[in-house]
Amino acid sequence: MYLPSADRYTAMPYRRTGRSGLLLPALSLGLWHNFGGDRTPETQAAILRRAFDLGITHFDLANNYGPPPGSAEIAMGRALKTDFAHLRDEIVISTKAGYHMWEGPYGEWGSRKNLRSSLDQSLTRLGLDYVDIFYSHRFDPDTPLEETMGALDTAVRQGKALYAGISNYSAEQTREAARILNELGTPLLIHQPRYSMLDRWVEDGLLDTLDELGTGSIAYSPLEQGILSDRYLGGIPEGSRAAGASPFLSADAVTPELVDRLGALNELARERGQSLAQIALAWVLRGGRVTSAVVGASSVAQLENSVAAAANLEFGQEELARIEELVKGIGRP
């Protein structure tokens, strides 16, 4: 039987999620990639165990994570039945619904029909009675927001989720979602936006809105699909996402200018005693406005490299100014 490290809570910082009582680790493990049918159960189990040993208590999923869709929840469910069977109360499990999951008019978006059906399916795959956080994965322009938020409220009231969250909502949409949930009696716990050195849209009002609402935040893609790592410092390697391994990153994004800027960022990271990935993660977590950052991992070594970022989350003004100059004008790949 898996026995977790006795000192698993000594190094990882834990941050309060908005004004709630829930603490999340500064780094959470996302199962978007690397937990589908193309990875062995042994590799997946090794990553999950090491994550928990390093103080990662939060595992972030969605109904369609894999590939194929649903397989990441099945992998997590397998771990919950074996390695983590005696540790459920030390673990936060989140899942989402809203992107395409099954055929027909009820397999995506934000209707009550979709969200409630999807959550039931997720619970079955996970082998759980409840998840800790259930998200609306994206705003649905064709469904009344009252219906979508009502479905989240129902999930909480039924005990199928402890908290309600949203992802990929604008500042205005977030404010309205929070108002509806507050009227229903279920506070908006958390927002999960995309945020990195190269994708700064949350700074245009969303972070301020979350501060005002007392809602937490958890950033996804803080490494921009691996762009903000040492993988592309020499160009595009074979088998990488930019080389065609992922539909979310194209080779056109990895320009010579970007590679030059990444090299300069990597030098700054070395001066701080960090890798490029570590400085990128630390930057997202700087100042404490972001509750947690979601990292993926294809190996234990990659996971350990990411978690080491938590050892130095402080930046001097000169460092921040250098980063601003280096990322200016290159934007999201």
Side-chain angles (χ1 to χ4, degrees), residues 55-89:
I56 292 180
T57 55
H58 175 216
F59 299 94
D60 181 75
L61 300 112
N63 57 353
N64 62 339
Y65 286 178
S71 57
E73 289 181 329
I74 292 172
M76 190 70 227
R78 183 168 55 243
L80 288 166
K81 291 176 184 175
T82 55
D83 291 337
F84 301 130
H86 58 303
L87 297 166
R88 175 64 180 99
D89 292 336

Side-chain angles (χ1 to χ4, degrees), residues 108-125:
E108 62 180 325
W109 295 108
S111 70
R112 177 178 288 269
K113 171 71 171 176
N114 172 255
L115 266 61
R116 293 193 63 183
S117 297
S118 180
L119 178 55
D120 286 343
Q121 293 175 21
S122 291
L123 291 173
T124 297
R125 286 188 290 268

Side-chain angles (χ1 to χ4, degrees), residues 1 13 17 39 43 66 70 103 142-143 149 191 211 241 259 265:
M1 185 175 68
T17 311
R39 305 283 176 167
T43 297
E103 296 304 315
D142 298 318
T143 297
M149 295 303 104
H191 187 299
D211 287 344
R241 292 180 184 178
V259 173
L265 280 171

